[in-house]
Amino acid sequence: MNDLAYPAPSASRLAARYRHDLPAQTIWNDTLDLLLSHRSVRAYLPDALPEGTLEALVAAAQSAASSSNLQAWSVIAVEEPARKARLAALAGNQKHIVEAPLLLVWLVDLNRLGAIAQAREQPAEALEYFDSFLLGAVDAALAAQNAVVALESLGLGGVYIGALRNKPLEVAAELGLPANVLAVFGLVVGYPDLARPADVKPRLPQEAVLFREQYGFGEAGLRAVEAYNARFREFQREQGLPEQDWSAQAGNRVRNVDSLNGRHMLHDALHRLGFGLK
Ligand SMILES: Cc1cc2nc3c(=O)[nH]c(=O)nc-3n(C[C@H](O)[C@H](O)[C@H](O)COP(=O)(O)O)c2cc1C
């Protein structure tokens, strides 16, 4: 479909996100504009963040929904360069962690609920079950994503750091985590270096992810992925990146445990960190 059929500015935002076969979009506002403009930033200026930024981001994070309002997450703000460097080394030497002034480490935190139960002289059996871990991970992700939207609204950039789970025990030691707490991912925050700009990465056509009433990824979905491969290559070409189909990239990422960079041992590490996971 011709993207000129859409009212500006949604046309350009949708075109950047999907490139072709744009979804019907008659509804638009500034929030959608911001959300569709997201891109992970991996090049930062060393500039400090304005006073109060951290607190504003955490207020946004705490405004996310929380399962049963248990608020089973916490966040550690790491600004000390030496500690950031050690965490960067544990996360596959990602230079943007060192470059940016702030690393937020998001925690699944079942310790707080356990401590509260203990103070009330009550058991906290539910915390020993896998669902409590999952609840904490979902809560942490929702909170962090609210912080991402907030920081992008302030003209800042961010990138998640899942690689902190490569070495969960070492990260726990670095951050002084008690039992029942996992650093589930990091989030680098800073001013994007506009000399090394990040662009909006196209996503799968909605046909491949949006089903109505019942699950429906099949032949049509595979064709949509094929179409996406070409758009993804176009994006890589523009960025000066080596060209590779998205499906090849995704296939390689899930082919075997090598790409997990140690995370295939996460279940064992979680037990060591005190999680029951029953
Ligand atoms: C939970 C999570 C962990 C991630 N971990 C990393 C990471 O360790 N390093 C990195 O450079 N990007 C990381 N990313 C960013 C993704 O690579 C990125 O979101 C994806 O390629 C889509 O690009 P975009 O965010 O620019 O749209 C992570 C994203 C998520 C959601």
Side-chain angles (χ1 to χ4, degrees), residues 152-253:
E152 289 178 351
S153 78
L154 296 169
L156 297 167
V159 61
Y160 284 107
I161 304 293
L164 277 187
R165 294 196 307 280
N166 294 359
K167 299 232 165 23
L169 303 179
E170 291 86 340
V171 169
E174 176 65 47
L175 298 173
L177 303 185
N180 275 312
V181 179
L182 169 74
V184 64
F185 48 75
L187 175 65
V188 168
V189 184
Y191 284 101
D193 179 356
L194 299 179
R196 299 173 286 162
D199 212 346
V200 168
K201 193 181 278 183
R203 293 292 198 263
L204 287 165
Q206 290 198 353
E207 220 180 330
V209 304
L210 167 63
F211 311 124
R212 296 186 192 269
E213 310 307 336
Q214 286 203 302
Y215 188 81
F217 185 81
E219 287 301 319
L222 282 173
R223 280 194 299 278
V225 170
E226 273 308 309
Y228 176 59
N229 280 335
R231 295 158 202 174
F232 198 68
R233 280 171 170 277
E234 185 182 89
F235 168 79
Q236 290 166 324
R237 245 189 331 272
E238 285 166 16
Q239 299 292 300
L241 297 167
E243 271 185 61
Q244 189 183 36
D245 282 349
W246 176 81
S247 56
Q249 228 175 58
N252 290 338
R253 174 67 175 76

Side-chain angles (χ1 to χ4, degrees), residues 110 127-130 133 180 267 270-271 274-278:
L110 302 185
L127 297 181
E128 293 162 30
Y129 286 81
F130 180 76
F133 173 76
N180 275 312
H267 192 264
L270 287 173
H271 277 300
F275 290 94
L277 308 178
K278 288 180 197 166

Side-chain angles (χ1 to χ4, degrees), residues 250-265:
N252 290 338
R253 174 67 175 76
V254 299
R255 183 198 295 265
N256 57 35
V257 300
D258 293 351
S259 64
L260 291 175
N261 293 310
R263 283 180 246 172
H264 61 295
M265 300 299 288

Side-chain angles (χ1 to χ4, degrees), residues 42-221:
R42 298 185 179 83
Y44 291 91
L45 301 173
D47 305 16
L49 302 177
E51 185 85 20
T53 303
L54 174 63
E55 292 77 7
L57 298 185
V58 172
Q62 289 192 277
S63 299
S66 162
S67 190
S68 303
N69 198 25
L70 287 178
Q71 307 176 60
W73 62 274
S74 298
V75 63
I76 299 181
V78 180
E79 293 175 290
E80 198 182 289
R83 178 164 288 116
K84 261 194 311 108
R86 288 194 296 274
L87 289 167
L90 292 172
N93 290 311
Q94 298 192 47
K95 64 165 180 26
H96 32 270
I97 301 176
V98 175
E99 238 177 50
L102 175 64
L103 173 68
L104 295 176
V105 182
W106 300 86
L107 309 173
V108 174
D109 188 353
L110 302 185
N111 171 65
R112 184 168 49 236
L113 291 165
I116 292 164
Q118 201 174 25
R120 292 171 52 83
E121 298 180 359
Q122 282 182 344
E125 281 173 19
L127 297 181
E128 293 162 30
Y129 286 81
F130 180 76
D131 190 63
S132 292
F133 173 76
L134 184 61
L135 179 156
V138 171
D139 267 16
L142 298 178
Q145 183 56 25
N146 258 21
V148 167
V149 173
L151 70 88
E152 289 178 351
S153 78
L154 296 169
L156 297 167
V159 61
Y160 284 107
I161 304 293
L164 277 187
R165 294 196 307 280
N166 294 359
K167 299 232 165 23
L169 303 179
E170 291 86 340
V171 169
E174 176 65 47
L175 298 173
L177 303 185
N180 275 312
V181 179
L182 169 74
V184 64
F185 48 75
L187 175 65
V188 168
V189 184
Y191 284 101
D193 179 356
L194 299 179
R196 299 173 286 162
D199 212 346
V200 168
K201 193 181 278 183
R203 293 292 198 263
L204 287 165
Q206 290 198 353
E207 220 180 330
V209 304
L210 167 63
F211 311 124
R212 296 186 192 269
E213 310 307 336
Q214 286 203 302
Y215 188 81
F217 185 81
E219 287 301 319

